[in-house]
Amino acid sequence: MHYDTLSNDILNLQVSAHGAELCSIRRGEREYLWQADPTYWKRHSPVLFPIVGSVWQNEYRCAGQTYRLTQHGFARDRDFQLVHHTAHALRYRLTDDAGTHALYPYAFRLDIGYRLEGACIHVEWEVENPSDGDMYFQIGAHPAFYYPDYRPDDPARGFFRFDRTEGLRYVLIAEQGCADPSVSYPLPLADDGLLPIDIHTFDRDALILQDAQVRQVALLDTQRRPVLRLTFDAPVVGLWSPPAKNAPFVCIEPWYGRCDRAHYAGDFKDKDWMQYLGPHAVFKGGYTIEVL
């Protein structure tokens, strides 16, 4: 597979035009980004568009029509066009076509950019509504990072540190990849404000923190030493590793959106955490990965 590259004196990145997916983050000989072993999960860091998660029974309704769309949408499986490449920045573009119209009725321009600055990777998203009508969408990240001290026979995996330590709550996936936001659970932080991660943390699937509770999540090793940190302004963040697989990685996922609530039968535009663009308007979002 061909990769476009970015590098400076700290980091080396590889990005694929297929899905505009970040595929490698290296500092010296150390790889931070999961290398897509299909035994556990076949992706590195897919971009989720035009939905995050699943719609109920893989169907949704828009302007009186019913469409089928599988988990996380179609952008991650499309070839993007490279429209900008310098020593420290890449930008890819996807636009609507007959194939996307069969799955999603809106015209769009989706740009995904990567900008390298020191030990930081700025991931930049831009969604444009080129039409004279309204547009609804969701967009999210799904980067997977190696546990720094992964040992299959040791249940400990490390820790999460948040920029808030009191009152955090999460919701869970309930049925068919869809959530039950009517019930929330307190996030069980340790006395030092960290969330211990072990082989059972994700037994009930992803932990979903809504309502902009946190803007920063750091991954620490088993000795509480920081490894990397994600900073974002997305209102939802998902934390996930494949349940019951003892996988060597964990995902930290800033989302401008969320899966359907279980049994949702309403209109697409009324989904939880939907993003709206008026005619010819532009949405800008993204997040930053900092290697520590």
Side-chain angles (χ1 to χ4, degrees):
M1 180 180 290
H2 171 76
Y3 296 108
D4 301 304
T5 62
L6 295 177
S7 63
N8 59 16
D9 57 355
I10 302 174
L11 298 179
N12 293 281
L13 311 183
Q14 291 184 333
V15 186
S16 172
H18 186 69
E21 184 175 9
L22 182 62
C23 295
S24 176
I25 303 171
R26 296 190 71 88
R27 185 171 192 166
E29 297 302 312
R30 182 173 181 177
E31 176 64 66
Y32 288 80
L33 200 64
W34 170 243
Q35 289 303 289
D37 178 353
T39 303
Y40 299 99
W41 190 56
K42 66 178 182 179
R43 301 179 190 268
H44 305 271
S45 180
V47 178
L48 318 179
F49 177 89
I51 58 170
V52 171
S54 298
V55 290
W56 181 246
Q57 296 184 332
N58 292 331
E59 290 187 348
Y60 70 95
R61 292 141 299 281
C62 184
Q65 299 293 317
T66 298
Y67 297 85
R68 290 192 60 82
L69 197 55
T70 55
Q71 186 182 46
H72 297 320
F74 51 74
R76 61 183 184 169
D77 295 317
R78 292 276 171 150
D79 291 326
F80 283 62
Q81 178 187 4
L82 178 64
V83 295
H84 178 75
H85 190 182
T86 67
H88 299 122
L90 288 160
R91 190 176 182 95
Y92 299 87
R93 179 166 296 166
L94 181 69
T95 56
D96 61 286
D97 58 25
T100 69
H101 294 163
L103 304 170
Y104 176 70
Y106 298 105
F108 66 88
R109 173 184 60 81
L110 169 60
D111 279 13
I112 297 173
Y114 299 95
R115 184 166 52 86
L116 189 54
E117 181 182 19
C120 292
I121 305 151
H122 302 290
V123 184
E124 300 166 338
W125 300 328
E126 189 170 289
V127 182
E128 179 187 12
N129 174 10
S131 77
D132 294 328
D134 295 335
M135 176 186 172
Y136 297 89
F137 71 97
Q138 297 177 333
I139 189 167
H142 203 320
F145 304 102
Y146 280 104
Y147 285 123
D149 299 320
Y150 175 77
R151 293 185 297 275
D153 297 330
D154 183 349
R157 293 289 173 264
F159 299 85
F160 285 131
R161 183 173 64 206
F162 306 98
D163 57 336
R164 175 181 165 188
T165 57
E166 295 182 355
L168 293 177
R169 302 186 69 86
Y170 65 93
V171 301
L172 290 169
I173 303 296
E175 300 175 54
Q176 298 182 32
C178 294
D180 180 5
S182 68
V183 181
S184 67
Y185 306 87
L187 200 64
L189 303 184
D191 291 342
D192 55 6
L194 302 180
L195 176 65
I197 312 167
D198 63 30
I199 59 171
H200 297 297
T201 300
F202 304 103
D203 281 354
R204 298 178 70 186
D205 214 317
L207 311 181
I208 303 170
L209 283 70
Q210 305 188 127
D211 303 310
Q213 294 181 70
V214 299
R215 298 296 195 187
Q216 197 173 85
V217 181
L219 176 63
L220 285 63
D221 67 17
T222 56
Q223 303 303 309
R224 293 175 166 79
R225 294 173 298 209
V227 175
L228 56 84
R229 176 169 55 225
L230 270 66
T231 304
F232 47 87
D233 65 3
V236 186
V237 62
L239 307 172
W240 177 81
S241 190
K245 284 192 174 183
N246 197 11
F249 68 89
V250 67
C251 296
I252 305 170
E253 310 177 36
W255 298 336
Y256 298 87
R258 198 208 65 220
C259 61
D260 274 359
R261 57 182 66 213
H263 303 280
Y264 179 70
D267 196 82
F268 186 70
K269 66 180 178 61
D270 298 320
K271 276 169 53 68
D272 295 340
W273 301 108
M274 182 56 70
Q275 305 300 311
Y276 163 76
L277 281 176
H280 306 285
V282 176
F283 163 94
K284 293 184 178 182
Y287 64 102
T288 296
I289 304 168
E290 183 178 5
V291 177
L292 300 172

